Amino acid sequence: CDLAWEEDVHPSSNPALSFLPGADPLASPMQAPSPSPVPSPRPPFLPWYRATQASMDLLNKVIHRVETENGWDQALFNECIFFPSHPGYKDPSVTRRVLDFELFMNSKTLFKFLRYSGQKYIDHRPVMIHVNYHSNKFERMGAVVKRYVDGDLKALDDFPVRS
């Protein structure tokens, strides 16, 4: 794998994502490319790059496009990794994987889904949580710390149901 990242979408809202329970996060299946001709922006949070020529080619291509085009960096990144080779364009040929969404999760997954999963929530130990989905990030970050650092299983209870 040349590139792995935390996906910012819960699988229940994106059927293109599939994961193998218990699999190594770096070996889990990749996200399928968007069925539309233009990949939808999927921010590559917490990217991990293996030091390969393909990774260097990808990063050089992204840097060049960010410096020379008027585009959103995340959309340009996605175009570079998902557009297939065609006349005038050679894709960087990186292998791509998405990290396990429950180990490397965002706040939407935690607050809308995982906290209602009973014993799974009680036993859950994430690698990281990206608090990016909600506008009240500071309050939610504090609750996440209380839940996972202090062990308070009720730390998320003050937030609205399925919020």
Side-chain angles (χ1 to χ4, degrees), residues 106-131:
N106 70 357
S107 53
K108 178 180 181 180
T109 300
L110 175 62
F111 283 91
K112 290 187 79 156
F113 304 102
L114 186 68
R115 73 175 167 154
Y116 302 105
S117 64
Q119 190 64 37
K120 184 178 185 179
Y121 171 68
I122 293 168
D123 296 338
H124 185 256
R125 296 292 176 266
V127 174
M128 58 127 327
I129 298 172
H130 183 195
V131 181

Short mmCIF file of all heavy atoms in Angstrom, two decimals, residues 106-131:
data_model
loop_
_atom_site.label_atom_id
_atom_site.label_comp_id
_atom_site.label_asym_id
_atom_site.label_seq_id
_atom_site.Cartn_x
_atom_site.Cartn_y
_atom_site.Cartn_z
N ASN A 106 -14.31 9.71 12.60
CA ASN A 106 -14.62 11.12 12.78
C ASN A 106 -15.74 11.24 13.81
O ASN A 106 -16.30 10.24 14.26
CB ASN A 106 -14.96 11.80 11.45
CG ASN A 106 -16.28 11.34 10.87
OD1 ASN A 106 -16.96 10.47 11.40
ND2 ASN A 106 -16.65 11.93 9.75
N SER A 107 -16.04 12.47 14.20
CA SER A 107 -17.02 12.67 15.26
C SER A 107 -18.43 12.27 14.83
O SER A 107 -19.25 11.89 15.66
CB SER A 107 -16.98 14.12 15.75
OG SER A 107 -17.12 15.03 14.69
N LYS A 108 -18.74 12.32 13.54
CA LYS A 108 -20.06 11.89 13.08
C LYS A 108 -20.27 10.41 13.40
O LYS A 108 -21.31 10.02 13.92
CB LYS A 108 -20.21 12.11 11.58
CG LYS A 108 -21.55 11.64 11.03
CD LYS A 108 -21.64 11.88 9.53
CE LYS A 108 -22.97 11.45 8.98
NZ LYS A 108 -23.05 11.69 7.53
N THR A 109 -19.28 9.59 13.10
CA THR A 109 -19.38 8.15 13.38
C THR A 109 -19.56 7.91 14.87
O THR A 109 -20.40 7.09 15.28
CB THR A 109 -18.13 7.42 12.85
OG1 THR A 109 -18.04 7.63 11.45
CG2 THR A 109 -18.19 5.94 13.14
N LEU A 110 -18.81 8.61 15.70
CA LEU A 110 -18.91 8.42 17.15
C LEU A 110 -20.25 8.88 17.69
O LEU A 110 -20.94 8.12 18.38
CB LEU A 110 -17.78 9.17 17.87
CG LEU A 110 -17.84 9.15 19.40
CD1 LEU A 110 -17.74 7.72 19.93
CD2 LEU A 110 -16.73 10.02 19.98
N PHE A 111 -20.64 10.12 17.39
CA PHE A 111 -21.83 10.70 18.02
C PHE A 111 -23.15 10.22 17.42
O PHE A 111 -24.15 10.17 18.10
CB PHE A 111 -21.77 12.23 17.98
CG PHE A 111 -20.84 12.80 19.01
CD1 PHE A 111 -19.51 13.03 18.71
CD2 PHE A 111 -21.29 13.10 20.28
CE1 PHE A 111 -18.65 13.56 19.66
CE2 PHE A 111 -20.44 13.62 21.24
CZ PHE A 111 -19.11 13.84 20.93
N LYS A 112 -23.17 9.86 16.15
CA LYS A 112 -24.43 9.44 15.52
C LYS A 112 -24.63 7.93 15.53
O LYS A 112 -25.77 7.46 15.44
CB LYS A 112 -24.49 9.94 14.07
CG LYS A 112 -24.67 11.45 13.98
CD LYS A 112 -24.89 11.88 12.58
CE LYS A 112 -26.33 11.61 12.23
NZ LYS A 112 -26.87 12.43 11.17
N PHE A 113 -23.55 7.16 15.59
CA PHE A 113 -23.69 5.72 15.43
C PHE A 113 -23.09 4.91 16.58
O PHE A 113 -23.80 4.17 17.24
CB PHE A 113 -23.04 5.28 14.10
CG PHE A 113 -23.61 5.98 12.90
CD1 PHE A 113 -22.92 7.02 12.30
CD2 PHE A 113 -24.85 5.62 12.39
CE1 PHE A 113 -23.44 7.67 11.20
CE2 PHE A 113 -25.38 6.27 11.29
CZ PHE A 113 -24.68 7.31 10.69
N LEU A 114 -21.81 5.06 16.82
CA LEU A 114 -21.12 4.18 17.76
C LEU A 114 -21.66 4.29 19.19
O LEU A 114 -21.81 3.29 19.87
CB LEU A 114 -19.61 4.43 17.75
CG LEU A 114 -18.81 3.45 18.60
CD1 LEU A 114 -18.86 2.05 17.99
CD2 LEU A 114 -17.38 3.91 18.74
N ARG A 115 -22.01 5.48 19.64
CA ARG A 115 -22.45 5.62 21.03
C ARG A 115 -23.78 4.91 21.31
O ARG A 115 -24.16 4.75 22.46
CB ARG A 115 -22.49 7.08 21.47
CG ARG A 115 -23.61 7.91 20.91
CD ARG A 115 -23.59 9.29 21.55
NE ARG A 115 -24.44 10.23 20.85
CZ ARG A 115 -24.98 11.29 21.42
NH1 ARG A 115 -24.76 11.55 22.69
NH2 ARG A 115 -25.73 12.10 20.71
N TYR A 116 -24.46 4.44 20.28
CA TYR A 116 -25.73 3.71 20.45
C TYR A 116 -25.56 2.21 20.21
O TYR A 116 -26.54 1.51 20.04
CB TYR A 116 -26.79 4.27 19.51
CG TYR A 116 -27.03 5.73 19.75
CD1 TYR A 116 -26.53 6.67 18.87
CD2 TYR A 116 -27.69 6.16 20.89
CE1 TYR A 116 -26.72 8.03 19.11
CE2 TYR A 116 -27.87 7.51 21.14
CZ TYR A 116 -27.38 8.45 20.24
OH TYR A 116 -27.55 9.77 20.48
N SER A 117 -24.33 1.73 20.20
CA SER A 117 -24.09 0.33 19.83
C SER A 117 -23.87 -0.59 21.04
O SER A 117 -23.29 -1.66 20.89
CB SER A 117 -22.90 0.25 18.87
OG SER A 117 -21.72 0.69 19.51
N GLY A 118 -24.30 -0.19 22.21
CA GLY A 118 -24.27 -1.04 23.40
C GLY A 118 -22.87 -1.46 23.83
O GLY A 118 -21.99 -0.62 24.02
N GLN A 119 -22.66 -2.75 23.94
CA GLN A 119 -21.38 -3.28 24.42
C GLN A 119 -20.22 -2.88 23.52
O GLN A 119 -19.11 -2.66 23.98
CB GLN A 119 -21.45 -4.81 24.54
CG GLN A 119 -20.26 -5.43 25.26
CD GLN A 119 -20.15 -4.99 26.72
OE1 GLN A 119 -21.16 -4.84 27.41
NE2 GLN A 119 -18.94 -4.78 27.19
N LYS A 120 -20.50 -2.77 22.24
CA LYS A 120 -19.44 -2.34 21.31
C LYS A 120 -18.89 -0.97 21.71
O LYS A 120 -17.69 -0.74 21.69
CB LYS A 120 -20.00 -2.32 19.89
CG LYS A 120 -19.00 -2.00 18.83
CD LYS A 120 -19.69 -2.08 17.47
CE LYS A 120 -18.73 -1.88 16.35
NZ LYS A 120 -19.40 -1.99 15.04
N TYR A 121 -19.78 -0.04 22.09
CA TYR A 121 -19.36 1.29 22.53
C TYR A 121 -18.56 1.20 23.83
O TYR A 121 -17.54 1.86 23.99
CB TYR A 121 -20.58 2.19 22.72
CG TYR A 121 -20.28 3.52 23.37
CD1 TYR A 121 -19.52 4.47 22.70
CD2 TYR A 121 -20.74 3.81 24.64
CE1 TYR A 121 -19.24 5.70 23.30
CE2 TYR A 121 -20.47 5.03 25.23
CZ TYR A 121 -19.72 5.98 24.56
OH TYR A 121 -19.44 7.18 25.16
N ILE A 122 -19.01 0.37 24.74
CA ILE A 122 -18.32 0.22 26.03
C ILE A 122 -16.90 -0.31 25.83
O ILE A 122 -15.96 0.18 26.44
CB ILE A 122 -19.13 -0.71 26.96
CG1 ILE A 122 -20.44 -0.02 27.35
CG2 ILE A 122 -18.32 -1.10 28.20
CD1 ILE A 122 -21.44 -0.93 28.04
N ASP A 123 -16.74 -1.28 24.94
CA ASP A 123 -15.43 -1.91 24.72
C ASP A 123 -14.54 -1.16 23.73
O ASP A 123 -13.35 -1.45 23.61
CB ASP A 123 -15.63 -3.34 24.17
CG ASP A 123 -16.33 -4.24 25.17
OD1 ASP A 123 -16.29 -3.94 26.39
OD2 ASP A 123 -16.92 -5.24 24.73
N HIS A 124 -15.11 -0.22 23.01
CA HIS A 124 -14.39 0.43 21.91
C HIS A 124 -13.18 1.24 22.37
O HIS A 124 -13.25 1.99 23.34
CB HIS A 124 -15.36 1.36 21.16
CG HIS A 124 -14.75 1.98 19.96
ND1 HIS A 124 -14.34 3.27 19.93
CD2 HIS A 124 -14.46 1.46 18.74
CE1 HIS A 124 -13.83 3.55 18.74
NE2 HIS A 124 -13.90 2.46 18.00
N ARG A 125 -12.06 1.07 21.67
CA ARG A 125 -10.83 1.84 21.91
C ARG A 125 -10.28 2.31 20.57
O ARG A 125 -9.60 1.57 19.88
CB ARG A 125 -9.77 0.98 22.62
CG ARG A 125 -10.16 0.51 24.01
CD ARG A 125 -10.23 1.71 24.98
NE ARG A 125 -10.68 1.30 26.29
CZ ARG A 125 -11.94 1.35 26.71
NH1 ARG A 125 -12.88 1.79 25.92
NH2 ARG A 125 -12.28 0.98 27.91
N PRO A 126 -10.60 3.55 20.17
CA PRO A 126 -10.13 4.03 18.86
C PRO A 126 -8.64 4.37 18.88
O PRO A 126 -8.05 4.58 19.94
CB PRO A 126 -10.95 5.30 18.65
CG PRO A 126 -11.18 5.80 20.05
CD PRO A 126 -11.34 4.56 20.89
N VAL A 127 -8.06 4.43 17.71
CA VAL A 127 -6.69 4.92 17.57
C VAL A 127 -6.71 6.45 17.59
O VAL A 127 -5.87 7.07 18.21
CB VAL A 127 -6.06 4.40 16.25
CG1 VAL A 127 -4.69 5.02 16.01
CG2 VAL A 127 -5.97 2.88 16.28
N MET A 128 -7.69 7.04 16.90
CA MET A 128 -7.85 8.50 16.90
C MET A 128 -9.28 8.85 16.54
O MET A 128 -9.98 8.04 15.93
CB MET A 128 -6.89 9.18 15.93
CG MET A 128 -7.03 8.70 14.51
SD MET A 128 -7.29 9.86 13.15
CE MET A 128 -8.20 11.19 13.73
N ILE A 129 -9.69 10.04 16.95
CA ILE A 129 -11.01 10.57 16.59
C ILE A 129 -10.80 11.97 16.05
O ILE A 129 -10.23 12.84 16.72
CB ILE A 129 -11.97 10.60 17.79
CG1 ILE A 129 -12.19 9.19 18.31
CG2 ILE A 129 -13.29 11.26 17.39
CD1 ILE A 129 -12.97 9.14 19.61
N HIS A 130 -11.24 12.20 14.83
CA HIS A 130 -11.14 13.50 14.19
C HIS A 130 -12.46 14.23 14.44
O HIS A 130 -13.48 13.89 13.86
CB HIS A 130 -10.90 13.30 12.69
CG HIS A 130 -10.70 14.56 11.94
ND1 HIS A 130 -10.78 14.61 10.58
CD2 HIS A 130 -10.43 15.82 12.34
CE1 HIS A 130 -10.55 15.85 10.16
NE2 HIS A 130 -10.35 16.60 11.21
N VAL A 131 -12.44 15.22 15.32
CA VAL A 131 -13.65 15.96 15.65
C VAL A 131 -13.80 17.08 14.62
O VAL A 131 -13.25 18.16 14.77
CB VAL A 131 -13.60 16.52 17.10
CG1 VAL A 131 -14.89 17.26 17.44
CG2 VAL A 131 -13.37 15.39 18.08
#
